[in-house]
Amino acid sequence: MCARISKRPQVAVRLLAALAVLAGVTTAMFLFSSSFGLSIHSSISDVTPQPELIVVAFSTKTNKGFCDTVLSAAAYGHVPVIVGWGEEWKGYRSKVVSTLSYFEKLAPTDVVLFHDGFDVHFQLGKERLLDAFLRQNASILYMAEKNCWPMFDARCDAFPKSPLPRWAWGPGTVYQWHQHELNIPHFLNAGTMMGFVGPSSTLFREMVRQVMEKEAQGHGVDDQELAAMLYTGGKFGVKLDFWMATMMSMHYSKDDTALEPDTDNFGPAEADTHKIRRHKITGTVPGVLHYNGNGKEWMDDFAKESWWRNKELVDRSKVIFQTTDGQTAQWSKVCDEYYVPPPNSTAAGEATPK
């Protein structure tokens, strides 16, 4: 009897702890939806003056990942500008130098969404993406991810913690340097960023300066490391999208989203055939999914589940992208080879990714 009685307080403590975790997550999600999440879907017509959103990607050539990136962008009304197209890849120097050169041509009050060219899928149109960015009150917003890379040393401790509840991923939630499915995303990932053109140009100008300086010393440098160090140093007003409302890193995050009918953008008759991925923890629909790291292992599988891969729903002959010299390129001329069944194949569907 005594043994059984003595265990009751322990059980009660565990139960209270579990309820506290649940209450914390529920409260945080309520506060998020009240102060930010619900307002994502409202209009940005009250923002004066309304900035233009310009989608910019870096890519020197085409491949299947590039084609999916542009195809998904077009499905949501974006015509991306491709920086570096046709140029020789000379490391991350190419990326920051070419991108800065294009940024300097734009109006400083507009907003750029800059992303890698080979591993990104879009989920939101211009208005909702711009709205989600503006409501985070940031000059420059980068993606949050679960892995501290490429530092792997004490500098990782300089990253601020996430505002999400401590146990947002359940009792096993961790804060650590290296990748882990239950790590709260709070490290900077440079694969996608959004920012006002003026501050973004200033940021890239500093990254170009540091790249040149490192190269002169015989050292290579990664743009993600540069951006991370500027973020942790409190420079240029850089923030992270901890809520995954604009951008989401898919590294070690396969199970963090759920595919569901897109009732936000389509009516009942179309929602079931136009599905979208919603974040299970925050309840947001990330505007851009970036399949960095091990995310590439399921990138093509997720693409096949996306409505924009359906030939009947998207007229691929009308999909276009632009280059920095103002030329328009037809997606079909660059990408058709990746979406045509191989010769002598009787299997339905598309070609094996190259």
Side-chain angles (χ1 to χ4, degrees), residues 4-128:
R4 283 196 292 268
I5 293 175
S6 65
K7 289 182 180 178
R8 289 176 182 172
Q10 298 176 25
V11 174
V13 168
R14 293 194 188 99
L15 179 59
L16 289 173
L19 290 173
V21 170
L22 178 60
V25 173
T26 303
T27 301
M29 295 305 103
F30 172 77
L31 292 174
F32 173 70
S33 63
S34 300
S35 63
F36 182 81
L38 293 180
S39 61
I40 287 176
H41 311 301
S42 63
S43 173
I44 58 171
S45 59
D46 57 338
V47 178
T48 307
Q50 178 178 328
E52 177 71 17
L53 175 61
I54 302 159
V55 175
V56 183
F58 181 86
S59 180
T60 60
K61 60 183 180 179
T62 185
N63 65 13
K64 181 65 176 295
F66 170 84
C67 294
D68 271 348
T69 294
V70 174
L71 183 62
S72 68
Y76 287 95
H78 303 288
V79 180
V81 176
I82 310 301
V83 174
W85 189 251
E87 297 178 4
E88 180 185 356
W89 170 250
K90 297 179 180 179
Y92 290 100
R93 176 183 185 275
S94 299
K95 182 178 179 181
V96 294
V97 171
S98 296
T99 302
L100 173 61
S101 178
Y102 181 68
F103 282 0
E104 290 178 333
K105 299 177 182 179
L106 306 176
T109 54
D110 283 338
V111 173
V112 288
L113 190 163
F114 177 65
H115 63 87
D116 289 349
F118 294 156
D119 54 4
V120 162
H121 296 161
F122 280 78
Q123 293 205 124
L124 294 178
K126 278 192 173 184
E127 183 171 326
R128 288 185 60 197

Side-chain angles (χ1 to χ4, degrees), residues 111-148:
V111 173
V112 288
L113 190 163
F114 177 65
H115 63 87
D116 289 349
F118 294 156
D119 54 4
V120 162
H121 296 161
F122 280 78
Q123 293 205 124
L124 294 178
K126 278 192 173 184
E127 183 171 326
R128 288 185 60 197
L129 253 173
L130 185 57
D131 196 15
F133 167 74
L134 294 176
R135 294 186 183 279
Q136 299 209 43
N137 192 30
S139 298
I140 300 171
L141 195 65
Y142 273 96
M143 196 166 24
E145 75 158 292
K146 296 181 178 182
N147 183 34
C148 184

Side-chain angles (χ1 to χ4, degrees), residues 144-200:
E145 75 158 292
K146 296 181 178 182
N147 183 34
C148 184
W149 186 90
M151 281 80 83
F152 290 112
D153 57 31
R155 289 176 294 174
C156 297
D157 289 332
F159 283 87
K161 296 292 181 67
S162 168
L164 290 175
R166 176 63 182 85
W167 306 110
W169 269 255
T173 303
V174 295
Y175 270 109
Q176 59 186 26
W177 292 356
H178 57 281
Q179 63 264 19
H180 193 291
E181 288 88 345
L182 301 182
N183 203 8
I184 294 183
H186 67 290
F187 300 112
L188 181 145
N189 180 277
T192 306
M193 59 84 71
M194 292 187 73
F196 286 98
V197 171
S200 298

